mmCIF file of all heavy atoms in Angstrom:
data_model
loop_
_atom_site.group_PDB
_atom_site.id
_atom_site.type_symbol
_atom_site.label_atom_id
_atom_site.label_comp_id
_atom_site.label_asym_id
_atom_site.label_seq_id
_atom_site.Cartn_x
_atom_site.Cartn_y
_atom_site.Cartn_z
ATOM 1 N N VAL B 427 93.808 108.616 106.050
ATOM 2 C CA VAL B 427 93.732 108.902 107.493
ATOM 3 C C VAL B 427 93.950 110.406 107.731
ATOM 4 O O VAL B 427 93.221 111.009 108.565
ATOM 5 C CB VAL B 427 94.787 108.054 108.241
ATOM 6 C CG1 VAL B 427 94.728 108.323 109.737
ATOM 7 C CG2 VAL B 427 94.580 106.567 107.936
ATOM 8 N N ASN B 428 94.868 111.015 107.032
ATOM 9 C CA ASN B 428 95.097 112.468 107.170
ATOM 10 C C ASN B 428 93.879 113.233 106.646
ATOM 11 O O ASN B 428 93.471 114.220 107.255
ATOM 12 C CB ASN B 428 96.341 112.896 106.388
ATOM 13 C CG ASN B 428 97.594 112.266 106.934
ATOM 14 O OD1 ASN B 428 97.848 111.098 106.685
ATOM 15 N ND2 ASN B 428 98.380 113.038 107.651
ATOM 16 N N LEU B 429 93.341 112.793 105.499
ATOM 17 C CA LEU B 429 92.192 113.492 104.931
ATOM 18 C C LEU B 429 91.026 113.526 105.928
ATOM 19 O O LEU B 429 90.262 114.477 105.979
ATOM 20 C CB LEU B 429 91.795 112.859 103.615
ATOM 21 C CG LEU B 429 92.760 113.086 102.450
ATOM 22 C CD1 LEU B 429 92.394 112.195 101.266
ATOM 23 C CD2 LEU B 429 92.817 114.536 102.035
ATOM 24 N N ALA B 430 90.875 112.420 106.676
ATOM 25 C CA ALA B 430 89.778 112.345 107.632
ATOM 26 C C ALA B 430 90.138 112.919 108.980
ATOM 27 O O ALA B 430 89.274 112.980 109.865
ATOM 28 C CB ALA B 430 89.339 110.889 107.760
ATOM 29 N N GLY B 431 91.386 113.321 109.160
ATOM 30 C CA GLY B 431 91.811 113.917 110.432
ATOM 31 C C GLY B 431 91.922 112.928 111.590
ATOM 32 O O GLY B 431 91.913 113.303 112.745
ATOM 33 N N LEU B 432 92.007 111.644 111.240
ATOM 34 C CA LEU B 432 91.999 110.581 112.256
ATOM 35 C C LEU B 432 93.420 110.273 112.769
ATOM 36 O O LEU B 432 94.378 110.570 112.109
ATOM 37 C CB LEU B 432 91.392 109.321 111.672
ATOM 38 C CG LEU B 432 89.959 109.439 111.166
ATOM 39 C CD1 LEU B 432 89.521 108.171 110.433
ATOM 40 C CD2 LEU B 432 89.010 109.777 112.325
ATOM 41 N N PRO B 433 93.506 109.601 113.924
ATOM 42 C CA PRO B 433 94.811 109.156 114.401
ATOM 43 C C PRO B 433 95.189 107.834 113.716
ATOM 44 O O PRO B 433 94.339 106.962 113.483
ATOM 45 C CB PRO B 433 94.633 108.959 115.894
ATOM 46 C CG PRO B 433 93.188 108.622 116.048
ATOM 47 C CD PRO B 433 92.462 109.336 114.942
ATOM 48 N N GLY B 434 96.493 107.683 113.397
ATOM 49 C CA GLY B 434 96.979 106.458 112.795
ATOM 50 C C GLY B 434 98.303 106.093 113.416
ATOM 51 O O GLY B 434 99.128 106.948 113.693
ATOM 52 N N LEU B 435 98.474 104.785 113.676
ATOM 53 C CA LEU B 435 99.722 104.356 114.325
ATOM 54 C C LEU B 435 100.307 103.200 113.500
ATOM 55 O O LEU B 435 99.588 102.318 113.039
ATOM 56 C CB LEU B 435 99.387 103.890 115.745
ATOM 57 C CG LEU B 435 100.548 103.426 116.640
ATOM 58 C CD1 LEU B 435 100.203 103.755 118.101
ATOM 59 C CD2 LEU B 435 100.859 101.922 116.496
ATOM 60 N N SER B 436 101.609 103.234 113.297
ATOM 61 C CA SER B 436 102.256 102.120 112.610
ATOM 62 C C SER B 436 103.188 101.440 113.600
ATOM 63 O O SER B 436 103.898 102.124 114.344
ATOM 64 C CB SER B 436 103.061 102.621 111.411
ATOM 65 O OG SER B 436 103.743 101.555 110.811
ATOM 66 N N LEU B 437 103.147 100.087 113.594
ATOM 67 C CA LEU B 437 104.103 99.375 114.460
ATOM 68 C C LEU B 437 104.610 98.141 113.710
ATOM 69 O O LEU B 437 103.924 97.651 112.792
ATOM 70 C CB LEU B 437 103.503 99.031 115.813
ATOM 71 C CG LEU B 437 102.603 97.816 115.975
ATOM 72 C CD1 LEU B 437 102.407 97.572 117.467
ATOM 73 C CD2 LEU B 437 101.260 98.059 115.332
ATOM 74 N N PRO B 438 105.785 97.629 114.116
ATOM 75 C CA PRO B 438 106.390 96.501 113.360
ATOM 76 C C PRO B 438 105.516 95.248 113.509
ATOM 77 O O PRO B 438 105.005 94.944 114.557
ATOM 78 C CB PRO B 438 107.732 96.273 114.074
ATOM 79 C CG PRO B 438 108.001 97.552 114.839
ATOM 80 C CD PRO B 438 106.662 98.112 115.195
ATOM 81 N N CYS B 439 105.334 94.535 112.372
ATOM 82 C CA CYS B 439 104.551 93.314 112.386
ATOM 83 C C CYS B 439 105.237 92.188 111.611
ATOM 84 O O CYS B 439 104.621 91.286 111.115
ATOM 85 C CB CYS B 439 103.132 93.559 111.879
ATOM 86 S SG CYS B 439 103.038 93.859 110.133
ATOM 87 N N GLY B 440 106.555 92.315 111.461
ATOM 88 C CA GLY B 440 107.294 91.223 110.799
ATOM 89 C C GLY B 440 108.400 91.761 109.917
ATOM 90 O O GLY B 440 108.671 92.984 109.891
ATOM 91 N N PHE B 441 109.014 90.824 109.198
ATOM 92 C CA PHE B 441 110.122 91.185 108.311
ATOM 93 C C PHE B 441 109.926 90.448 106.985
ATOM 94 O O PHE B 441 109.319 89.376 106.961
ATOM 95 C CB PHE B 441 111.452 90.782 108.937
ATOM 96 C CG PHE B 441 111.807 91.618 110.139
ATOM 97 C CD1 PHE B 441 111.370 91.257 111.392
ATOM 98 C CD2 PHE B 441 112.555 92.773 109.997
ATOM 99 C CE1 PHE B 441 111.669 92.011 112.510
ATOM 100 C CE2 PHE B 441 112.863 93.562 111.121
ATOM 101 C CZ PHE B 441 112.412 93.179 112.381
ATOM 102 N N ASP B 442 110.399 91.028 105.928
ATOM 103 C CA ASP B 442 110.290 90.363 104.642
ATOM 104 C C ASP B 442 111.508 89.448 104.424
ATOM 105 O O ASP B 442 112.387 89.335 105.295
ATOM 106 C CB ASP B 442 110.102 91.355 103.459
ATOM 107 C CG ASP B 442 111.372 92.153 103.153
ATOM 108 O OD1 ASP B 442 112.438 91.891 103.773
ATOM 109 O OD2 ASP B 442 111.288 93.011 102.267
ATOM 110 N N ARG B 443 111.562 88.833 103.274
ATOM 111 C CA ARG B 443 112.630 87.854 102.947
ATOM 112 C C ARG B 443 114.013 88.460 103.123
ATOM 113 O O ARG B 443 114.958 87.787 103.478
ATOM 114 C CB ARG B 443 112.394 87.424 101.502
ATOM 115 C CG ARG B 443 112.742 86.007 101.214
ATOM 116 C CD ARG B 443 112.204 85.644 99.820
ATOM 117 N NE ARG B 443 110.763 85.883 99.715
ATOM 118 C CZ ARG B 443 110.076 85.790 98.565
ATOM 119 N NH1 ARG B 443 110.686 85.499 97.454
ATOM 120 N NH2 ARG B 443 108.778 86.005 98.577
ATOM 121 N N GLU B 444 114.091 89.785 102.865
ATOM 122 C CA GLU B 444 115.407 90.403 102.910
ATOM 123 C C GLU B 444 115.698 91.043 104.261
ATOM 124 O O GLU B 444 116.680 91.774 104.431
ATOM 125 C CB GLU B 444 115.502 91.458 101.807
ATOM 126 C CG GLU B 444 115.344 90.844 100.457
ATOM 127 C CD GLU B 444 115.707 91.800 99.337
ATOM 128 O OE1 GLU B 444 116.739 92.516 99.460
ATOM 129 O OE2 GLU B 444 114.935 91.847 98.335
ATOM 130 N N GLY B 445 114.841 90.723 105.225
ATOM 131 C CA GLY B 445 115.090 91.243 106.573
ATOM 132 C C GLY B 445 114.651 92.692 106.755
ATOM 133 O O GLY B 445 115.058 93.326 107.728
ATOM 134 N N LEU B 446 113.816 93.164 105.880
ATOM 135 C CA LEU B 446 113.297 94.527 106.020
ATOM 136 C C LEU B 446 112.003 94.504 106.816
ATOM 137 O O LEU B 446 111.159 93.643 106.590
ATOM 138 C CB LEU B 446 113.078 95.157 104.653
ATOM 139 C CG LEU B 446 114.353 95.403 103.837
ATOM 140 C CD1 LEU B 446 113.994 95.678 102.381
ATOM 141 C CD2 LEU B 446 115.166 96.553 104.438
ATOM 142 N N PRO B 447 111.826 95.493 107.704
ATOM 143 C CA PRO B 447 110.639 95.528 108.556
ATOM 144 C C PRO B 447 109.356 95.752 107.760
ATOM 145 O O PRO B 447 109.355 96.418 106.736
ATOM 146 C CB PRO B 447 110.897 96.681 109.509
ATOM 147 C CG PRO B 447 112.301 97.090 109.326
ATOM 148 C CD PRO B 447 112.741 96.607 107.997
ATOM 149 N N ILE B 448 108.291 95.215 108.278
ATOM 150 C CA ILE B 448 106.919 95.431 107.738
ATOM 151 C C ILE B 448 106.114 96.157 108.800
ATOM 152 O O ILE B 448 106.236 95.874 109.999
ATOM 153 C CB ILE B 448 106.250 94.110 107.383
ATOM 154 C CG1 ILE B 448 107.110 93.322 106.335
ATOM 155 C CG2 ILE B 448 104.835 94.309 106.878
ATOM 156 C CD1 ILE B 448 106.664 91.913 106.124
ATOM 157 N N GLY B 449 105.286 97.137 108.356
ATOM 158 C CA GLY B 449 104.512 97.902 109.319
ATOM 159 C C GLY B 449 103.037 97.589 109.274
ATOM 160 O O GLY B 449 102.459 97.306 108.192
ATOM 161 N N LEU B 450 102.429 97.580 110.445
ATOM 162 C CA LEU B 450 100.996 97.386 110.572
ATOM 163 C C LEU B 450 100.366 98.711 110.969
ATOM 164 O O LEU B 450 100.833 99.335 111.931
ATOM 165 C CB LEU B 450 100.670 96.327 111.639
ATOM 166 C CG LEU B 450 99.229 96.067 111.947
ATOM 167 C CD1 LEU B 450 98.581 95.280 110.821
ATOM 168 C CD2 LEU B 450 99.096 95.253 113.252
ATOM 169 N N GLN B 451 99.378 99.184 110.236
ATOM 170 C CA GLN B 451 98.767 100.447 110.556
ATOM 171 C C GLN B 451 97.447 100.217 111.316
ATOM 172 O O GLN B 451 96.608 99.449 110.872
ATOM 173 C CB GLN B 451 98.485 101.273 109.295
ATOM 174 C CG GLN B 451 97.846 102.621 109.649
ATOM 175 C CD GLN B 451 97.647 103.538 108.461
ATOM 176 O OE1 GLN B 451 97.915 104.730 108.524
ATOM 177 N NE2 GLN B 451 97.213 103.016 107.352
ATOM 178 N N LEU B 452 97.323 100.892 112.438
ATOM 179 C CA LEU B 452 96.060 100.924 113.198
ATOM 180 C C LEU B 452 95.480 102.309 113.030
ATOM 181 O O LEU B 452 96.190 103.321 113.208
ATOM 182 C CB LEU B 452 96.324 100.622 114.680
ATOM 183 C CG LEU B 452 97.104 99.355 115.028
ATOM 184 C CD1 LEU B 452 97.354 99.308 116.505
ATOM 185 C CD2 LEU B 452 96.328 98.117 114.558
ATOM 186 N N ILE B 453 94.184 102.340 112.705
ATOM 187 C CA ILE B 453 93.528 103.637 112.504
ATOM 188 C C ILE B 453 92.461 103.792 113.578
ATOM 189 O O ILE B 453 91.651 102.889 113.782
ATOM 190 C CB ILE B 453 92.894 103.741 111.116
ATOM 191 C CG1 ILE B 453 93.956 103.528 110.008
ATOM 192 C CG2 ILE B 453 92.180 105.089 110.927
ATOM 193 C CD1 ILE B 453 93.376 103.283 108.635
#
Side-chain angles (χ1 to χ4, degrees):
Chain B
V427 180
N428 297 75
L429 289 171
L432 301 173
L435 183 150
S436 176
L437 82 167
C439 69
F441 291 88
D442 71 4
R443 214 168 304 172
E444 299 191 43
L446 293 165
I448 299 169
L450 177 72
Q451 181 176 222
L452 306 176
I453 302 167

